[in-house]
Amino acid sequence: MRLPMKPIARSLPPVRITLLALLLAGGMAAVRAADPAPAAPARMEGNRIDIESQLRDAMKSGDPTKKRLNLLIDGKSGNAGLAPGAPPPINTVDHQAPAAPAVAGPRPREPGLVIRQQRPSAAATPAAPHKEIQWGYEGEGAPANWGKLKADYATCASGQRQSPIHIEDNDTLKGPAEAIQFSYAPSKGTVLNNGHTIEVKVYGENSLTVRGSTYQLVQFHFHHPSEERINGQGYPMVGHFVHRNELGQLAVLAVLLEPGEPNALIQKVWTHMPLDVNDSVRMPPDLIQVGEILPKDQRYYQYIGSLATPPCTEGVLWLILKQPVSISREQLRLFGQLYANNARPVQPTHGRPVRDAVLITPGGRP
Ligand SMILES: [Zn+2]
């Protein structure tokens, strides 16, 4: 016996919904299968942010537990670009909350466009339209609020090993320490203006070795003024060189910058600096030579901290070279015009030891 068509069916065109669902679900499945990485990193390349935010918007009314996406752009997962913002699932200990298996489980109902066409059910979350506040350095998204902006950023507020910190010589552990072994070769780079800093993604054979582990250089970026404070003093700028070892652990080398002669590496970067947020510029091959920016004196402070940008993941090995290198006032001014202040304030040390490394050469002389 045939049932008469009910009028309610008119408000939910089944064919259209099914088609959309299939299209979207198919697209999602492809994306997921291609990128097995767990939680989506908080910061990503510009185009990825774009796509992700669009998808997130589209999914606003869906099941919040299904909102995480891992997008694949240019054949890469989001891990490669930890920016000051950016940060990938670095820390094997506390950041890699295992996400749901990519394909197992019930077919997610996330295709947001479909859901959006339905009337909100009684179970839907309260309708207050919630505009997501982006993290930044002033206003509502300022560092003091990072921990409240998103559940993923909670560590920014609750963490006990956050960065940056104020280092005072009187409180450091002075003693022998190994020299950092740098191995930097001419490399290709892409300069990205990511809305929080100018960042150079580096492609090539670049690494540092310390504590028995070799960390590959992933990217470097700048803060104005420096985030680090040493003996009560800040610097006009700092470069952070983000390295990652094969376990996914991070080591960030900090190079303090003070006014003086123009800086050769920075000149190359500024020459290719994109002015628009989320724009990027490819540099000529072999132009990047990170060794150019290293000071002669390579003694350093060492401590365990965090990413200094959301999600503030901890377990990052910080290596802060004590001797600043020079940057010209013009170079400083140019960056300051784009980013007048992109430094997180110093965080409590909670009794963390900071090592003041007196280098021991193979010959045994400090
Ligand atoms: Zn940084």
Side-chain angles (χ1 to χ4, degrees), residues 83-85 137 221-223 227-228 238-240 242 252 308-309 318:
Y137 293 94
H221 60 266
F222 301 90
H223 299 274
E227 299 190 305
E228 294 77 2
V238 67
H240 284 164
V242 182
V252 183
T309 53
W318 280 89

Side-chain angles (χ1 to χ4, degrees), residues 115-151:
I115 290 170
R116 200 176 251 182
Q117 290 178 3
Q118 297 173 340
R119 291 180 185 286
S121 73
T125 45
H130 171 68
K131 186 170 184 297
E132 192 170 293
I133 298 166
Q134 300 296 319
W135 70 268
Y137 293 94
E138 44 191 47
E140 287 181 288
N145 297 330
W146 287 353
K148 294 176 276 184
L149 297 180
K150 272 188 184 184

